[in-house]
Amino acid sequence: MPKNFKELLFFTALMCSMMVFGMSIWNLSVVGYFSWAHLAMGYVPRLITAFLLDLLVAGPVVKGVAFKFLTERHKPWQKILVVSGVMVLIMVSLMSLYDMLFNGVPLSVTNYLGAWLTNFIVAFPLNFLIVGPISRFILGQLQQQLF
């Protein structure tokens, strides 16, 4: 896990870049518009939005809530589960709304819940099984090299 602000920025950039890439492929495929051109067109705005939402909204909320319940007696894997799980819930909620606004989808409870569920079923395993472990591995290697 990140130990300082530089590492937090690096880790957030890794997580966001991979999650946005994977979720963009998923969402474009679901609506039948997947192409590398469509992916490239939406990637940078989604990445900037996800990075800022993670850094300024979701991250502080998750840390504020999670670390009220987590103590030193909790194992690292328990902390990862709580922090990552709550982060997925918040980011799926925020990015589903962003995607609806960005793509001109009419805002309604039905549309939002459909988008949220469609995103959650991929974001949760993508975060826990692929992106999170890769990001933690890369950060761990970087931390070993620097210290």
Side-chain angles (χ1 to χ4, degrees), residues 15 32 42 61 102 147:
M15 289 291 295
V61 169
F102 186 79
F147 300 107

Side-chain angles (χ1 to χ4, degrees), residues 5-146:
F5 188 67
K6 265 191 218 181
E7 290 180 6
L8 176 69
L9 289 177
F10 179 76
F11 185 74
T12 301
L14 276 175
M15 289 291 295
C16 285
S17 62
M18 288 188 276
M19 286 299 293
V20 167
F21 184 76
M23 292 305 296
S24 294
I25 291 171
W26 167 249
N27 282 305
L28 287 167
S29 298
V30 165
V31 295
Y33 286 108
F34 178 77
S35 73
W36 292 108
H38 285 133
L39 181 69
M41 284 190 303
Y43 183 77
V44 172
R46 275 188 110 226
L47 178 59
I48 291 168
T49 302
F51 183 80
L52 292 174
L53 287 172
D54 188 315
L55 201 62
L56 302 174
V57 179
V61 169
V62 168
K63 288 176 189 140
V65 171
F67 291 116
K68 285 183 181 177
F69 301 104
L70 297 171
T71 63
E72 291 300 317
R73 67 179 174 82
H74 288 97
K75 294 176 174 44
W77 66 267
Q78 292 170 317
K79 293 176 183 178
I80 289 168
L81 286 177
V82 170
V83 170
S84 293
V86 176
M87 184 66 79
V88 167
L89 291 172
I90 293 172
M91 289 301 291
V92 164
S93 299
L94 295 172
M95 291 303 290
S96 293
L97 180 61
Y98 167 80
D99 284 340
M100 289 177 68
L101 294 171
F102 186 79
N103 293 306
V105 175
L107 292 179
S108 71
V109 173
T110 304
N111 286 345
Y112 178 74
L113 291 176
W116 190 92
L117 186 59
T118 299
N119 288 322
F120 179 78
I121 62 172
V122 173
F124 193 80
L126 181 63
N127 182 296
F128 277 94
L129 301 176
I130 299 170
V131 173
I134 290 171
S135 296
R136 284 188 293 279
F137 175 78
I138 292 171
L139 179 63
Q141 293 299 306
L142 180 68
Q143 288 170 331
Q144 287 178 358
Q145 297 295 324
L146 295 177

